[in-house]
Structure formats: structure tokens, C-alpha cells
Amino acid sequence: MDGGRRLIAEGHLIDSGLMSKFLDIVVENGGSYQLLKFDIGRTVSDFSRVEMTVTAPEPERLARILENLTAVGCHLLEESDEIELKPAEKDGTVPDDFYSTTNHRTRVFHRGTWLEVERQRMDAVIVVKDGSARCVKLRDVEAGDRVICGIQGVHVFPPFRDRAKTDFIFMNNEVSSERRVELAVAQLAAAMKEIRARRGKTIAVVGPVVVHTGGSRHLCSLIRGGYVQGLLSGNAIGVHDVESALLNTSLGVDVATGIPVSEGHKNHMRAINAIRKCGSLAEAVEKGVLRSGLMYECIVNGVRIVLAGSIRDDGPLPDTIMDMRAAQETYADALEGADLVLILGTMLHGIGVGNMTPSWVRTVCVDINPAVVTKLVDRGSAQASGIVTDVGLFLRLLAEELEAS
């Protein structure tokens, strides 16, 4: 049996369920724990504090337990909290015992000072340079970069949603198709109004189903109303939106009647061709070729568009970023400073955005399939909450709620 390590955690350990999670991690990984102190907060606003010793049969198992505990808010109680830094030997690589980040707020202790980690995201390493610490993708590490290794001196702060607050209460990390959609929409609308009032930032991450279900006109209404500051998606949303605007079809199906039109199968290529002739979506708007739709509303209202390409894309549109590394970096830049992320009918881009988004950013995933929300949470975006409904219906209700208020 390994000699064990002493850990400490502080916060809303009971209300948030963290205390149970700590003990589950130890037991499920074959370790043992001894609670040394457990001071429970006397009021709803008071923090609780726990000190415990964790042991395991082998050092490797103990290391795994400690790493998992650190990720959810525990930290080692040692004489020195100084982080361990090791240099990267070559570009794109790090030492084997590197610390892998979560999307929770993190600080590290370096040379007598606590440093807040910048550009927080999951599945990155932490590089300390020029008196600051920041998350860096593995591919972006350069030879000589000083990388944090182990968990010593690393403090993680999982977010806690105050149960005493009544705003946004549907965001409780549960997924239920029986939840009243109207209630969730009303609370979301109130939050979006508050964000707009203080000139905050809401990002919409959308799939082409927004166009297919007729939801695009309602999303256009939100854009015109100043409720959306960025739109992230793939080539398909741009193509289908332009096809709908220019030819009144979506994938060759008449948007008004739902009936396939003659030679409609080539309409998406006609749409791509029209934009490519103009040079870009913005130039198509400037030349009067594109006069309606999501892309049009984003451009005329100054909403940032980021389209990330994939291997299956037709065309693509000239605005689509086909370099995946550049697309990821542009997504991350667009998400910087976001207050709310709306994921509307897209698993691929939703999970990608979830990986880039800090856990303190409100994230709402709307999909007819509850498995989409579940998968997002399982991938580490624990802050994501789901509204299980048709995306087109959701956007109509949201637009009506915002207009009515």
C-alpha cells in the first residue's frame, strides 16, 4: 500500500455534490481514504472544507486517483505548493507526466504568486512564460517551453450554481424531453436580454437543421435584435442558407411546400457557384446578389461568421476555412469572452465548441435527440444543459418571447 497523500478542498461541497464525487473517485479506482477534517458550512452561503488522506495499493493507481481528484477541485496539501516545470524537448511534444487541463477555472503557484491560467479550455497543457500561465494545445507547444508537470501547485475551481437564485434554473445539467420547453425558453430569453443590456456576448453554434426546420428566419430575428454576436458552423449551413435565399429550396426541396423541385439536387451547387463568382459572402451582399437569410443578416448586422470545413464539403464556399488548425483557432478566438453559447442542432460543432469553452460560460444545447446533449456532457462540458425539442420550434418560441418582452 502506497504511503498516501494529503488533500484539501473547499467550497459548496455538499450542495454541488462534490464531496460524494471525491469519495467515489477514490473507491472506484481501488483506493482508500481517511477523512481528517470535515467542516460543514452553517448557512447556504458558507463554504465547507475537507482534509483527507488518500492511499492506493500501487503508486500508478494513486497517481491516477490524485489526478482525477485535482480535476474536480481537490489539491495537495504539502509544505510547498510550487509547480513543477519541465522543458519541452521538441515542437509539439511535452514530458510524459504533463498536467492535462480541464475547462474549469484554474490557478497555479509559481515563485510565491498564484497565477490565473489564461485561455482556459480542456485537453491542453499549461505553459508558464513571462510571468503568466496559459493553456496551450499540444500541437502549439514549442521546444523549450516550460510545461507544468504533475499536479503540485495546481488548483482547479469547478463552478457552483447557487440554488438560491431563480434565474436560469433550468440549467441544472439534466436532460429531459418532458421538461416544459416554454419555461426554459422564458428563462433563456431573460438571460439573453440581460446579456444584451450590458453589451455581453452570445455565440450561436448552428447546424443545417436550423434551415431545414424553418428556424433560420427566427434566428435572423434574434440577430437583427442584437441578441447574437457570433455564428459558428460548417460549410453546410452557409450553403443551405444561400440556396434557400437564392432559390427558395433546401437540398432541392421547396421550403414553402416541402416538395422536391425539378433538378433541385443541383441547387446547392448553384448556390455555391453564385457566391464563388462574387468572391465571398460579404461581396455577394455588397453586389446585391444575396439579399436575405442568415449569412445576409450576420453580414449587415456585424455578426461574426466562422465556417469550419470538413472532408465532406461541396464547393466549398470561399468563406469556409478548410485548414482545420486555422478553423479551430478562429473558433476559439470567436468564443473568447462569451457569456452564453447556444448549440442548435449540431453534435459535431457542439462538441468541438464544448472543448474550447470554459466551464463558467453558460452553454445551452438544443436538439431533438437527447443523446446529443448527453454526449456533450460526457465529453467534459459539464456546464451544458439541454432543451430537448425541435430546433425550429425552439427558435420560434425564443423569438416570440424576446419580441413580446
Side-chain angles (χ1 to χ4, degrees):
M1 178 72 70
D2 191 278
R5 304 293 290 276
R6 191 172 180 181
L7 299 102
I8 188 172
E10 188 175 62
H12 295 286
L13 305 181
I14 299 177
D15 287 356
S16 63
L18 283 173
M19 190 63 203
S20 296
K21 186 176 293 186
F22 296 159
L23 304 184
D24 287 344
I25 287 173
V26 176
V27 174
E28 290 173 3
N29 286 279
S32 301
Y33 63 84
Q34 181 181 5
L35 298 181
L36 305 177
K37 294 181 181 178
F38 189 16
D39 299 324
I40 301 175
R42 296 184 178 182
T43 70
V44 70
S45 60
D46 290 343
F47 278 1
S48 298
R49 177 186 173 94
V50 63
E51 291 185 26
M52 62 181 177
T53 299
V54 176
T55 57
E58 305 91 18
E60 296 79 10
R61 185 173 300 186
L62 179 60
R64 182 168 62 250
I65 293 172
L66 295 177
E67 186 171 350
N68 289 335
L69 287 173
T70 299
V72 292
C74 289
H75 59 271
L76 293 173
L77 186 62
E78 308 285 358
E79 293 182 0
S80 172
D81 272 330
E82 182 70 21
I83 53 175
E84 182 180 6
L85 293 170
K86 295 181 181 179
E89 294 184 0
K90 64 178 183 178
D91 293 352
T93 68
V94 292
D96 290 340
D97 58 344
F98 67 92
Y99 172 76
S100 182
T101 64
T102 69
N103 60 347
H104 302 320
R105 174 182 162 243
T106 304
R107 66 178 187 175
V108 297
F109 194 71
H110 180 52
R111 295 180 178 175
T113 302
W114 286 103
L115 305 176
E116 292 288 334
V117 177
E118 302 170 7
R119 299 186 70 87
Q120 191 66 54
R121 58 161 298 153
M122 68 175 74
D123 301 329
V125 300
I126 300 177
V127 171
V128 177
K129 186 176 182 180
D130 298 329
S132 64
R134 63 186 178 93
C135 291
V136 177
K137 293 282 288 182
L138 182 61
R139 67 181 181 218
D140 296 324
V141 173
E142 298 179 351
D145 280 349
R146 297 189 303 158
V147 178
I148 293 181
C149 294
I151 58 175
Q152 184 68 40
V154 178
H155 288 198
V156 176
F157 301 87
F160 171 70
R161 190 170 295 118
D162 192 343
R163 67 180 179 183
K165 293 183 178 180
T166 58
D167 61 319
F168 242 37
I169 57 174
F170 79 93
M171 287 195 170
N172 55 8
N173 295 337
E174 296 177 0
V175 181
S176 172
S177 57
E178 297 178 357
R179 182 183 298 127
R180 286 184 56 200
V181 174
E182 293 85 355
L183 175 61
V185 167
Q187 293 169 358
L188 179 59
M192 293 180 71
K193 286 181 61 181
E194 183 271 328
I195 291 171
R196 187 186 69 163
R198 57 178 169 82
R199 299 183 182 276
K201 187 174 181 179
T202 294
I203 300 294
V205 186
V206 300
V209 69
V210 169
V211 177
H212 306 332
T213 60
S216 57
R217 64 190 180 96
H218 304 298
L219 185 53
C220 286
S221 174
L222 302 186
I223 292 169
R224 287 192 295 270
Y227 292 104
V228 177
Q229 285 67 51
L231 187 143
L232 311 185
S233 191
N235 183 66
I237 187 69
V239 172
H240 298 166
D241 174 67
V242 172
E243 179 191 343
S244 177
L246 299 184
L247 302 165
N248 295 313
T249 62
S250 177
L251 289 178
V253 176
D254 189 293
V255 295
T257 66
I259 300 174
V261 301
S262 178
E263 294 191 342
H265 66 280
K266 57 193 280 188
N267 278 4
H268 74 288
M269 294 301 295
R270 288 172 174 156
I272 294 169
N273 191 47
I275 301 301
R276 293 185 74 88
K277 283 184 175 181
C278 293
S280 69
L281 289 166
E283 289 179 275
V285 171
E286 185 178 343
K287 294 175 181 178
V289 173
L290 187 61
R291 300 181 180 181
S292 64
L294 277 175
M295 302 298 106
Y296 170 84
E297 293 294 348
C298 285
I299 291 166
V300 300
N301 288 284
V303 172
R304 185 176 183 180
I305 303 170
V306 184
L307 303 180
S310 72
I311 196 170
R312 63 190 178 190
D313 289 336
D314 292 323
L317 291 171
D319 302 77
T320 302
I321 305 172
M322 297 304 293
D323 181 328
M324 191 51 58
R325 179 170 180 167
Q328 288 180 344
E329 291 174 350
T330 309
Y331 258 42
D333 182 68
L335 288 162
E336 189 73 22
D339 298 284
L340 171 65
V341 175
L342 295 178
I343 300 173
L344 307 172
T346 172
M347 179 182 292
L348 176 65
H349 296 281
I351 291 174
V353 165
N355 289 348
M356 304 175 188
T357 307
S359 63
W360 58 83
V361 177
R362 294 167 169 174
T363 303
V364 181
C365 182
V366 183
D367 207 287
I368 197 67
N369 183 359
V372 174
V373 188
T374 302
K375 182 167 286 191
L376 183 65
V377 174
D378 289 344
R379 293 287 185 106
S381 300
Q383 80 275 17
S385 295
I387 301 176
V388 181
T389 187
D390 175 80
V391 173
L393 170 64
F394 163 80
L395 285 169
R396 177 174 67 80
L397 292 174
L398 182 59
E400 289 175 352
E401 181 72 27
L402 288 169
E403 290 168 2
S405 60

